[in-house]
């Protein structure tokens, strides 16, 4: 599988990988192992990446990494779209969220984006994609995902900060786009 290191804020490491022959679950585990091994200065084969047990039906599980049977104190987030996967790793105290989209969405995807975007000019594809991926990344960072309607996410006019009004958490937004993929990272402040 091909993968590239993405340009991320300090303390967060992310990689984009793509291979249509590798299943989504395998891609995210391979990328997580690569990042964690690099961060810890160990060989990839020493890192075991598993999926946490679902808490309830519909619960979106996250990846958990272990080295020598002990859980690694890092948070692992991922997003998938078709044959591509992006994985980000950070300190667990830093809330992060990701979204990954093709730069050329199909008609069905465009209809969903336009229905929930509330932009004045929904025909500007670049603006629509930037807005939509930022909204989705904020929902992912928030942790409630689809339980929060996309319409409830707010972005500042520069689209560099996002939040959900019922919580007092603001997320910085970084564009990590690369190789025809629109990638957005939402991240909260490291606790003081």
């Amino acid at each position: 599988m091909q993968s590239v290191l993405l340009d991320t804020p300090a303390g967060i490491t992310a990689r984009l990988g793509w291979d249509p022959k590798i299943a989504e679950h395998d891609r995210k585990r391979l990328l997580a192992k690569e990042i964690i091994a690099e961060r810890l200065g160990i060989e990839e084969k020493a890192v075991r990446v598993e999926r946490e047990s679902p808490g309830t039906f519909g619960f979106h599980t996250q990846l958990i990494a272990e080295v020598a049977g002990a859980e690694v104190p890092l948070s692992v987030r991922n997003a998938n779209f078709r044959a591509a996967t992006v994985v980000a790793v950070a300190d667990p105290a830093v809330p992060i969220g990701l979204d990954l989209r093709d730069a050329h969405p199909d008609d069905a995807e465009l209809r969903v984006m336009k229905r929930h975007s509330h932009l004045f000019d929904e025909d500007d594809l670049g603006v629509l994609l930037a807005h939509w991926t930022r909204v989705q990344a904020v929902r992912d960072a928030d942790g409630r995902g689809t339980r929060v309607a996309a319409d409830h996410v707010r972005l500042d006019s520069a689209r560099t900060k996002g939040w959900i009004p019922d919580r007092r958490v603001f997320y910085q937004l970084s564009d990590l786009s690369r190789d025809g993929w629109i990638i957005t990272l939402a991240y909260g402040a490291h606790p003081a």
Side-chain angles (χ1 to χ4, degrees), residues 13-43:
T13 306
R15 291 191 83 82
L16 168 67
W18 59 95
D19 190 332
K21 296 176 191 148
I22 298 178
E24 170 186 314
H25 297 293
D26 293 331
R27 282 194 313 266
K28 62 186 173 185
R29 283 186 174 90
L30 289 169
L31 289 168
K33 285 176 79 163
E34 189 175 353
I35 293 169
I36 292 166
E38 184 179 296
R39 281 183 75 136
L40 299 178
I42 60 176
E43 292 186 37

Side-chain angles (χ1 to χ4, degrees), residues 142-192:
D142 174 75
R144 293 178 287 176
T146 58
R147 292 177 297 186
V148 173
D151 314 56
H152 292 169
V153 176
R154 301 291 179 255
L155 303 177
D156 67 349
S157 61
R159 291 189 204 96
T160 58
K161 189 186 302 184
W163 66 96
I164 299 171
D166 68 340
R167 292 199 173 162
R168 295 175 59 151
V169 179
F170 294 88
Y171 302 98
Q172 294 299 311
L173 299 165
S174 285
D175 180 13
L176 310 180
S177 299
R178 177 136 186 188
D179 300 326
W181 300 103
I182 308 301
I183 306 165
T184 300
L185 169 71
Y187 60 100
H190 201 289

Side-chain angles (χ1 to χ4, degrees), residues 28-71:
K28 62 186 173 185
R29 283 186 174 90
L30 289 169
L31 289 168
K33 285 176 79 163
E34 189 175 353
I35 293 169
I36 292 166
E38 184 179 296
R39 281 183 75 136
L40 299 178
I42 60 176
E43 292 186 37
E44 286 181 38
K45 65 182 179 184
V47 180
R48 181 174 175 223
V49 176
E50 293 296 325
R51 198 170 56 128
E52 69 181 338
S53 298
T56 60
F57 178 75
F59 179 75
H60 292 281
T61 58
Q62 297 302 315
L63 298 177
I64 297 172
E66 294 179 353
V67 173
E71 190 173 324

Side-chain angles (χ1 to χ4, degrees), residues 53-118:
S53 298
T56 60
F57 178 75
F59 179 75
H60 292 281
T61 58
Q62 297 302 315
L63 298 177
I64 297 172
E66 294 179 353
V67 173
E71 190 173 324
V72 176
L74 293 170
S75 174
V76 180
R77 299 296 287 199
N78 68 87
N80 300 281
F81 191 83
R82 297 189 181 127
T85 298
V86 64
V87 171
V89 175
D91 182 296
V94 178
I96 58 175
L98 290 165
D99 191 64
L100 170 66
R101 304 281 160 177
D102 188 320
H104 307 286
D106 60 26
D107 290 340
E109 235 188 318
L110 282 172
R111 278 192 298 278
V112 170
M113 288 182 209
K114 288 179 179 182
R115 185 170 58 236
H116 297 287
S117 70
H118 300 292

